[in-house]
Amino acid sequence: MSRRASEAPRTGPDTVDVLQVITSTDRRGAEVFATDLERALTDRGRSVRTVALVRGRQEGGLDVPTLGTSRLGIATLRALRAEARHAGLVVAHGSTTLPACALATTGTRTPFVYRNVGDPAHWGTTPARRLRSVAFLRRTSAVVALTAATAGELNARYRVSPEKIRVIPKGVPTERFTPATAEARRRARAHFELLAEAPVALYLGALSPEKNVRLAIEAVASIPGLHLLVVGDGPERSAAEAEASRVAPDRVHVAGPTDQPELALAAADVVVLTSHTEGLPGALIEAGLCGLPVVTTDVGFVREIVADTMTGYVVPPGDRAGFADALERALRAPSALGSAARRRCLERFSIDRVADAWDDLISAMLQ
């Protein structure tokens, strides 16, 4: 149940309790979560404004204001600084928002919280990058980690004090993601021009090098009769389309981006994730809430979402044969795996439970 904020909203022209900063208007995990969190916090009596550093590349991106044309450009940072002066708290959601908010809030009285979204083990690939991350993290008033393991990495690798870290998992609107009815499945299959009865695996996410969608295409191509629906956009889209045409032109369907992930999930029997690196991927939580099993590479913190052999299968990264075998096993018992996945995700990743934890953190920061 929603709670009201424990203190009155800040007063003055155009002031807000919380300014959320996302990298771009593209519909990626951190960005979509920020908009979901804004709605949930608003229900709790918070005044929240969400802005993006730059406009994204996707058509039909998130409808939020943008600050500039370069993520760390002078004009962008000046605009962010002006926004921060009218907020009680700034929340930076992953990626370039860390250096942007660290720089833009320097010299102001506005505290900022950084929400880590990726695997910290993959940040500091050079000593210089690690030192920069340490310096930026020192500017934070608090750091939100998605898992206890992430919190440990932030402390060990980047010297973030345990007292400064809050563990708050990703949350998803549970009312939006539910198991599809037979009619919803039929409409979804028709929308994506898929065969009504063919088994369908779904790849849902960005098409970027670290996501390794080629593994999904090759694994599906090796299983007779199985179709793959690829929903997303990014720099690897052309390569994915070329690979699909080469290995399984009639069974791999690259549909582009969507603002209705629930429609893509309604068309699927199983969801796949083939990344080289991840944090806590929201697409897998959405899949679980929709009662779908998942086959995923063993990266980041996917095991927080997927219980191997119980709600899906976890495979070593890059193992095409193992991935294909896991897909076939998942398709033999999708209902049992999917039901267990939904129970697990409802218990752990409800946006209401997560928003309550954020509301507590905001109260502490605004005191």
Side-chain angles (χ1 to χ4, degrees):
M1 181 178 293
S2 297
R3 300 181 303 169
R4 301 296 294 178
S6 58
E7 63 272 37
R10 298 171 72 88
T11 60
D14 302 321
T15 59
V16 293
D17 290 334
V18 182
L19 174 70
Q20 295 196 115
V21 184
I22 58 179
T23 300
S24 79
T25 57
D26 283 340
R27 292 180 179 275
R28 302 194 68 167
E31 287 79 0
V32 171
F33 172 78
T35 59
D36 289 337
L37 183 61
E38 177 180 344
R39 286 188 288 270
L41 291 175
T42 299
D43 288 344
R44 286 157 175 75
R46 297 289 181 190
S47 53
V48 183
R49 175 172 165 82
T50 303
V51 298
L53 296 177
V54 296
R55 186 166 301 283
R57 297 180 178 180
Q58 295 178 357
E59 296 181 6
L62 296 168
D63 183 19
V64 300
T66 56
L67 300 178
T69 57
S70 172
R71 293 182 182 185
L72 295 177
I74 296 299
T76 304
L77 295 179
R78 283 177 176 166
L80 177 54
R81 185 179 181 85
E83 292 272 358
R85 288 186 181 278
H86 294 283
L89 175 69
V90 173
V91 177
H93 286 270
S95 187
T96 319
T97 65
L98 173 60
C101 290
L103 294 168
T105 60
T106 299
T108 73
R109 295 184 178 181
T110 308
F112 94 91
V113 172
Y114 177 64
R115 177 178 179 263
N116 172 69
V117 299
D119 185 347
H122 291 273
W123 291 2
T125 53
T126 67
R129 291 186 66 179
R130 181 174 294 187
L131 286 173
R132 282 197 297 272
S133 295
V134 169
F136 292 139
L137 287 165
R138 281 179 181 165
R139 286 275 305 114
T140 62
S141 298
V143 176
V144 171
L146 299 183
T147 70
T150 311
E153 291 276 1
L154 289 166
N155 172 242
R157 291 177 179 268
Y158 302 99
R159 310 174 200 166
V160 182
S161 167
E163 291 76 23
K164 201 175 188 178
I165 301 173
R166 296 284 189 98
V167 177
I168 305 178
K170 182 173 290 187
V172 171
T174 55
E175 72 281 357
R176 183 179 178 188
F177 296 96
T178 58
T181 64
E183 176 59 20
R185 175 186 170 93
R186 185 195 65 76
R187 289 197 306 268
R189 292 284 180 102
H191 176 84
F192 290 107
E193 299 181 350
L194 299 168
L195 296 176
E197 300 304 326
V200 173
L202 170 66
Y203 172 96
L204 179 62
L207 299 178
S208 51
E210 72 276 9
K211 300 295 186 178
N212 194 25
V213 69
R214 181 173 181 173
L215 173 62
I217 294 171
E218 292 177 343
V220 167
S222 71
I223 301 173
L226 179 61
H227 288 241
L228 175 66
L229 174 61
V230 178
V231 176
D233 204 0
E236 292 293 299
R237 181 172 174 179
S238 294
E241 289 171 339
E243 182 68 7
S245 296
R246 186 181 71 84
V247 301
D250 298 325
R251 294 194 290 117
V252 178
H253 315 268
V254 182
T258 183
D259 60 357
Q260 294 180 286
E262 63 274 23
L263 186 63
L265 289 159
D269 298 292
V270 61
V271 170
V272 298
L273 184 141
T274 48
S275 300
H276 294 304
T277 177
E278 279 289 347
L280 195 71
L284 301 194
I285 298 172
E286 293 166 1
L289 290 172
C290 289
L292 296 172
V294 165
V295 177
T296 176
T297 46
D298 193 3
V299 292
F301 306 103
V302 298
R303 287 180 182 267
E304 296 284 330
I305 306 169
V306 182
D308 189 31
T309 74
M310 296 171 60
T311 70
Y313 294 94
V314 182
V315 181
D319 182 358
R320 189 185 72 178
F323 203 92
D325 179 66
L327 262 175
E328 291 185 294
R329 282 183 286 157
L331 289 167
R332 292 188 198 116
S335 295
L337 293 168
S339 295
R342 179 165 169 80
R343 289 193 299 271
R344 182 180 178 91
C345 289
L346 283 171
E347 290 170 1
R348 296 180 175 217
F349 303 113
S350 160
I351 190 66
D352 283 336
R353 181 176 299 181
V354 168
D356 283 345
W358 272 99
D359 195 45
D360 289 342
L361 175 58
I362 292 165
S363 292
M365 293 291 103
L366 293 181
Q367 286 179 357

